[in-house]
Amino acid sequence: MTTHSAQETPLVRLRSDGAVDEETLAYARTKIDVIVGRPGLPVVTGEVHIVRAAAHHAGRPWSATADLRIGGRHVVAAAEEATGTEVVDRLQDRLRRQTDKASQAWDSGHRTTAPPWRGATERPSAAAGPGSTPEDSPTA
């Protein structure tokens, strides 16, 4: 039996400034899609901006910035490197860490209950005897 499951395309826009070649943009799109298209992540939207500086004497002419919303969390990552592939790889590493943190926070926020000291569950008082009712206890 074959199932047809439609996977939502992540809504992450890729922009570039300067002399960024198509090969670097395609490489960046592939790497970003791997990060934001992982199963288990909430909806991801935002923008990745890759820039190549016009100054050839700069030590790290390539920079990349990611500004994403993962579920209800804001994630920002930035990188500077000497080549286009290096900056994309560095940005991917940083985004992976940030999305892992956002995903864990999302999982924790949606799958667990509040701790007892925040009023999620109330335990019977230890002072109450076996025959006493909650109305008899001083904490009820």
Side-chain angles (χ1 to χ4, degrees):
M1 178 167 79
T2 306
T3 60
H4 298 288
S5 61
Q7 180 181 357
E8 287 188 35
T9 305
L11 302 172
V12 177
R13 194 172 118 190
L14 179 63
R15 291 189 321 132
S16 65
D17 284 333
V20 179
D21 55 308
E22 290 298 320
E23 183 180 317
T24 302
L25 289 175
Y27 184 71
R29 172 52 64 194
T30 302
K31 294 289 190 168
I32 292 164
D33 287 346
V34 166
I35 296 295
V36 300
R38 293 186 321 206
L41 278 181
V43 177
V44 179
T45 59
E47 178 177 276
V48 174
H49 190 198
I50 299 177
V51 179
R52 184 174 183 186
H56 298 291
H57 63 276
R60 294 181 175 174
W62 289 86
S63 65
T65 306
D67 186 5
L68 306 176
R69 297 286 294 169
I70 300 174
R73 250 183 113 108
H74 188 215
V75 172
V76 177
E80 290 183 349
E81 289 297 330
T83 67
T85 55
E86 287 176 356
V87 78
V88 170
D89 289 341
R90 178 69 53 112
L91 185 69
Q92 181 191 25
D93 291 342
R94 291 180 178 172
L95 273 177
R96 182 176 307 278
R97 276 180 275 158
Q98 293 293 334
T99 55
D100 285 348
K101 286 180 185 178
S103 174
Q104 289 171 359
W106 184 79
D107 286 346
S108 296
H110 287 10
R111 294 187 183 171
T112 61
T113 59
W117 58 87
R118 295 219 173 153
T121 59
E122 292 184 15
R123 296 181 183 169
S125 174
S132 65
T133 62
E135 294 83 38
D136 296 337
S137 68
T139 58

